[in-house]
Amino acid sequence: MKHKQNYHVVGIMSGTSLDGVDLAEIAFTINNGQWNFEILQSETVNYKGVWLSILKNAITFSHPQLKELNRDYTQLLSGIINDFIAKHKIDNLDAVCSHGHTILHQPQDGFTLQIGNLPEIATLLNQTVICDFRVQDVALGGQGAPLVPIGDKILFSKYDYCMNLGGFSNVSFEENGKRVAFDISPTNTILNYYANQLQLDYDDKGSIARTGEIDQSLLDELNALDFYQKTYPKSLGFEFVKEIVLPIMESYSILPKNKLATFVEHIAVQTGCVLPTKSGTLLVTGGGAYNDFLIERIKAYLPNMEIVIPENKILEYKEAVIFGLLGVLKLRNEINVLSSVTGAYKDHSAGVIF
């Protein structure tokens, strides 16, 4: 079957930092095996107060509560997507490619749950929908994460490293001719938690962390966690933050600004540790790229690395773009998940088409 050269999709991502639903209208073209993309329209729709608290607490929900939440969230998400399509007068879409929102991620138990991926989303949108990209990989023995690296490889190959600073930080790069990628550490899940204690949504530019002092024993305890000694592939879920990291952070009665300073240092130390070569170019995206203090501390551990922060559109919507690409690859029945990254026993084409 001969494939098309042009695709018109909407890519949607909702990340663990809960800063909202990212939507991007994207035009993809492929010429002689070379993919290009253009972001035509983009927008982030923030979660309203009640939804924020539901999504924060859903990790504790019972099975029946999760089923109800999945139905409600599918309604919410399709409303957000329909509004975006109507507002920007978008038509002739090949597909809507949606990640959904991760509630549970326990690949070691063969389980991951992204809500908002129920079949009725296609009916509610009256579009072809490609979604639920993680489940198949976990069933194939993989971590179900990270999924973005194939997009790094296809769309951002000119950088030696691609790092995203979201709810968690992750990195991807080529090693021995294969793409590898893994989660580095919690990032905005913790930084926002302590900013919230100061009645702020986030620590703008890291200005509060900058005024804090590092607690050396807390830093040492964080750096000694088992996760950092493991070899990749490896991934993190909110369970790690709730069960391991927060109890350690909370056991220290120090000011929130000192917790922020210490955790920024922790992220920077771990970033410096995991990159096999300490020079080249590092593309940084995700909300954490706006945290000037965090970027400075990462630079301190990687003085010979050129850190590239792209234009805002790519910085904020790179993951939505890549989920759009994953959907297009699924439509073409081409590989969109790399076993070298997730640890699954084979490369595969993931996602469900409704």
Side-chain angles (χ1 to χ4, degrees), residues 103-123:
I103 295 295
L104 300 170
H105 185 62
Q106 297 154 6
Q108 69 283 2
D109 302 325
F111 185 72
T112 185
L113 171 67
Q114 284 69 44
I115 57 172
N117 291 328
L118 294 173
E120 47 265 39
I121 192 164
T123 318

Side-chain angles (χ1 to χ4, degrees), residues 284-324:
V284 181
T285 56
Y290 290 115
N291 187 322
D292 296 348
F293 182 58
L294 174 58
I295 299 295
E296 281 170 35
R297 294 313 301 148
I298 290 171
K299 273 187 175 155
Y301 288 93
L302 293 166
N304 301 317
M305 185 72 70
E306 184 195 344
I307 294 182
V308 180
I309 296 175
E311 58 164 324
N312 283 9
K313 243 189 202 178
I314 291 176
L315 191 160
E316 291 177 23
Y317 297 100
K318 175 172 171 260
E319 289 196 312
V321 167
I322 290 178
F323 277 96

Side-chain angles (χ1 to χ4, degrees), residues 154-217:
I154 292 172
L155 302 176
F156 298 97
S157 60
K158 68 179 183 184
Y159 302 101
D160 296 305
Y161 298 97
C162 291
M163 179 166 73
N164 192 69
L165 297 173
F168 299 90
S169 56
N170 55 55
V171 67
S172 91
F173 51 92
E174 292 292 312
E175 187 172 78
N176 304 325
K178 276 192 166 166
R179 197 79 189 176
V180 296
F182 48 90
D183 285 344
I184 302 173
S185 73
T187 301
N188 294 333
T189 41
I190 295 287
L191 300 182
N192 293 353
Y193 180 87
Y194 287 104
N196 294 168
Q197 289 194 349
L198 301 168
Q199 271 61 61
L200 298 164
D201 289 337
Y202 58 92
D203 180 8
D204 188 28
K205 295 187 169 63
S207 55
I208 296 164
R210 192 186 287 282
T211 65
E213 286 177 17
I214 292 167
D215 184 301
Q216 194 58 47
S217 54

